Amino acid sequence: MGYPHAPHARETVVLSKYFGDSEATTLDGWRKRGGYVALEKALGMTPAEIVGIVKDSGLRGRGGAGFPTGMKWSFMKPGDGKPHYLCCNADESEPGTFKDREIMRWTPHALIEGCAIGAYAIGAETAYIYIRGEFTEPLQRMEAAVREARAAGVIGPNAMGTGKRVDVWVHKGAGAYICGEETALMNSLEGRRGNPRIKPPFPAVAGVFGQPTTINNVETLAAVPHILNNGAEWYKKFARPDNPKSTGTKLWSVCGNVARPGNYEVVMGFPFKDFLYDLCGGPLPGRKFKAVIPGGSSVPIMNMEEAEAAVMDYEGMVAKGSMLGSAGCIVIDDAQCMVKQIARLARFYAHESCAQCTQCREGTAWTTKIMERIEAGEGSMDDLDTLLEIGDSMTGKTICVLSDSCAVPVVSGIQKWRHEFEAHINGKRCPFRAAAAA
Amino acid sequence: MATSKEMGGTHAESHASHGSAGHLHGEPYQPVFVGERRRQLDELLTRYPTKMAALLPALWMVQEDRGWVSESAMAEVGEVLSLTPAYVKGVVTFYTMYHQHPVGKHFIQVCTTSPCNVCGAEDVVNAFLKHTKCGELGVTSDDGRFTVIEVECLGACGFATPVMINSDFIESVTPEKVPDLLSKLP
Amino acid sequence: MADVKTINLTIEGRPVAVAEGTSILEAARTAGVLIPHYCYHPALPVAGVCRMCLVEVEKAPKLAPACATSVAEGQVVHVHSEKAREARKGVLEMLLINHPLDCPICDQAGECELQDYTFQEGRKDSRYKEPKRFNPMEDFGGDVVYVPNRCILCTRCVRYMDDVAQDPVLNVSERGDRAYIGKFEGKDLTHPWAGNVVDLCPVGALLSKDFLNKARAWELDRTASICPNCTQGCNAIIETRDNVVVRMRPRGNPDVNEFFLCDTGRLDYRWMNGPNRLELPAVRNGTVLVDADWDVALGAAATVLRGKRALVLASPMLSNEALHLLSRVVKATGGTGAFRVARGPEAPLPGVKDLALRSERAANVVGAEKLGFTKTDTPLAGMRDGDVLLIVNHALTEAEIATANRASAVVFVGTTLPAGLTNVAAVLPITNFAEEEGTFTNLRGRVQRFLQAKAAPGLARPSWFVLADLLASLGETTNYFVPSEVFAALAASHPEFAGLSYDALGLRGLPVVGAAQPAGAPS
């Protein structure tokens, strides 16, 4: 729902139905709301059946990559005699994104149910929910819910009395955005530095503890019980008629310079212009929208012409030059300085780089320094060329895409707001800072 | 906007000012993993197929117990989990939430990444610096009560500006709310 | 052995056929194509972090890291295409932005891979306008010093200590551009094989304290040799400047020491330059020793030995060639030969099969035994009245000097004359092993050649040459002008050495007949 606001009539409330409802956090409360019916059903099916339904539903990874979930699950070979693992990626650190925290703090049992079904479907007896260390409340809620579920025998060595073992454990992170990258998450879980791994080997072949592993986002797993309860066909209905590739509902985390920030749940293919001006309430009084980063800070920045023409599904966002990503929607108005914000984003990436790859380790810091120098009024025109060339060095050449992500806003910024950069360079100061001081 | 001091700075500082053993002057190091904590760790170890996987949880237990992770504690954790101290240190220094030296009683972390930045997060930082009398980021106030730092995205962007004080997560902080917030701290 | 599939691909236009599972980087090597790289090393687990080895693979959407990508049938790989070059240029630029560019004072200059690749393919100028990152130099203990400002974080040192030395005392500390190689206070690089990190470091970040500021890489002469300090027989390179040994480094040999040398071997070379060397032959004249011509000295030695029983005190540091000839001297005089070997603690390198600093601290213990010399802690125990003592390169203890003075006469063949010997009839100065050519036999029976690295002082002659002359003056025909001829004679008369020759030995060596082969070694 449009939490913390009341749900908007044009939302399609599935995952967010109980946001704000504190009773939904308990096992009994969850059961009253239809919880754990899907898990019971799932444990009576074969893993292959479950994978088939999820494949059919068109569910795609909600963490940012959008990889078809059913296909990912099918990479786990049954009967190989090795312990399989499910990792739930609750590291939510992509700037602009704050949906997984809501799922965990309002509907922790939804996630447990999704993890349990997912684990069973991929032949795993153990699921780890890797929650970033800063998420105090989600950690507390999830730990409490796991304890409740274990005590009630819903999960554990004899899940729902079926004799099947499904263990779900909460694992706390310690402050590293890069641990949201699936292979870095596995390394962190193993007690290592959160360095992404080179692939191959792929997680489904050799993942955590060297065993076949699947990593899924919180929102992805939370959708699974609904798909099992209502069927794949139901899920597929939430799509544009001319785009069956993006199905279901999506939680959009809206933040920045907008009247009603919060999480909104809409169907795939919702028109972005309506979303921004109607559901989210449009810009703040006296301001105009200038830019939107629809999918978390790692996707290209859209100008308003692009944003207002876009539809909110994977393909729709790509068609307008950006990506759906994590649907962390950062809205920037005309009072903000693009140079300053892009510099701040570069600094974020520089802070979070794991340090393995040369281009990322050095390039994120170098980009930040140049951007901050431009913001301070000490830039020159050749800095813009340098930034673009560094960005090219940083793209497509590293173990993971943090490096590429740092280059993305820089490239968008210079492409679409070059005039702001030039104003800093020519005027030898930030025009927005100067205006604010005046 | 704070400068990128931490990029291009020296790590010699952290060596020099915090001593090697990392415990109170003259007092021998007291192990963390005894009694109840040891029992908790042993239970945790049953969840993972390797001892190493309990490293992050063990370091959290140290920080919860002592407020920070000293080199002696790193050596103890290494001993308990059959890891070298150098290895443990490599992990500790990777993750920003583990403190490698004591911090103020109230460790104030303000998110200033872009989604909060466009909503005035820097004003919130300045309000904290002013009202805690810390004056500077990362420096503990003279009375030892406060340390204020900027952190990266806390994952509560729609509730700008989120602030963590130790492990308390506070949403929607504005500069106006800061004095009241501080006055309520023990 | 199960059949391994062969994969055919093209690298830089050259057809390559390698076993399935080979990396593109290794496959390129077989075709004579060097793909520039830093973090990759054949002895270490693949990291794929430096990003230098990115190559263009036709039909692939992204550049591939050659060290971490397996070959595939029909692949067409370009190492020097524009895209690959641009990528490398980008990496090199990034590596240099915080680099102090202090080649004039950096030991690595002249053997630095950052210099090499930058010169080959890097930018000719820097466009970095920001302040550079600075961290002070650190003493890592042992022989190693760390200069963080030059470090490219390839992590070879960390992976080596973790995996090969199995002593994880190094880590990567911090994150992002603040990262550096760290260690724990009080836990230093004291592992007996830690010095290899200096060689592994492609740049001047890890340096040898012993070699610090001593010489420039391009001033050094390099000679293939064998480390003489224990029975392992690690292949080494003796590096000299102006005829002084200044550094010992490992030479690769997959059957002996892979790429490594222990710190003892690395650092214990000063004796090769040792002072107080015997430079001239000498003979006794009354109570004193006087300088003499070689002919005179050899004659005096032969006179003393002829017709007497000789007790030969050999050295396990002598070459096979010298020992072979010495054993013939023993026979010619109807005497016996023995040697003593110093011992120390054994120190294995766990990550490499059968590699250790061995407890017997001399290179040719096995050679000496195979050539008829007895290993004993009391080599003079069998001395009888009237025996003549022939000391060859053996370092006498005080007690042994006292015993030696009771012999009827002493012929001393060596590099330094100890004080206290009272009845030396003749002194024949010889080269030490760095000053002559020969072979050693290691503890696994591997015969390996070492070459002459420096010139001998004064009129000192190679040990085998002197012993051949001594043998000749005792009446045996010898016509050896080069050590390979001596070795041929040795091989002809010892079944275990049958079939071996300098040509066959090359610079990798070969096992004696019947020696256990290391697994996977070519026969």
Side-chain angles (χ1 to χ4, degrees), chain A residues 51 80 133 161 209 275 282 419 429:
Chain A
V51 173
D80 57 6
F209 310 119
F275 182 76
H419 55 281
R429 87 272 177 271

Side-chain angles (χ1 to χ4, degrees), chain A residues 186-375:
Chain A
M186 293 193 295
N187 270 343
S188 186
L189 187 58
E190 287 184 9
R192 303 180 196 276
R193 290 166 60 89
N195 290 337
R197 298 178 181 177
I198 48 180
K199 295 190 278 207
F202 290 88
V205 171
V208 77
F209 310 119
Q211 309 294 0
T213 306
T214 299
I215 303 97
N216 287 127
N217 173 261
V218 168
E219 192 185 351
T220 312
L221 290 168
V224 170
H226 294 283
I227 292 171
L228 282 191
N229 280 333
N230 300 300
E233 290 308 311
W234 163 83
Y235 202 68
K236 287 195 285 196
K237 284 212 301 281
F238 302 124
R240 276 191 280 157
D242 55 345
N243 184 20
K245 292 199 215 155
S246 293
T247 63
T249 62
K250 180 77 188 75
L251 283 168
W252 285 78
S253 300
V254 181
C255 57
N257 309 126
V258 71
R260 289 194 295 271
N263 281 302
Y264 294 85
E265 191 170 3
V266 294
V267 299
M268 285 290 178
F270 199 94
F272 205 23
K273 182 176 180 182
D274 287 14
F275 182 76
L276 291 168
Y277 289 97
D278 183 7
L279 280 72
C280 303
L284 296 165
R287 306 262 189 92
K288 287 217 287 279
F289 286 151
K290 176 155 77 173
V292 181
I293 314 182
S297 59
S298 305
V299 306
I301 312 175
M302 296 171 109
N303 57 33
M304 292 323 295
E305 191 189 323
E306 293 164 330
E308 290 173 10
V311 285
M312 298 157 78
D313 64 22
Y314 294 102
E315 289 69 30
M317 283 295 167
V318 169
K320 286 299 164 191
S322 187
M323 289 167 65
L324 189 148
S326 62
C329 184
I330 308 168
V331 185
I332 300 169
D333 69 22
D334 55 356
Q336 309 307 321
C337 173
M338 293 308 288
V339 173
K340 178 181 176 184
Q341 292 312 319
I342 293 168
R344 186 58 186 83
L345 285 177
R347 196 211 237 214
F348 165 77
Y349 291 110
H351 187 258
E352 301 297 332
S353 171
C354 76
Q356 285 190 106
C357 300
T358 306
Q359 299 97 322
C360 180
R361 179 179 75 242
E362 302 292 341
T364 52
W366 192 10
T367 299
T368 305
K369 289 180 184 173
I370 298 176
M371 287 298 308
E372 290 180 353
R373 191 163 44 75
I374 296 174
E375 168 62 10

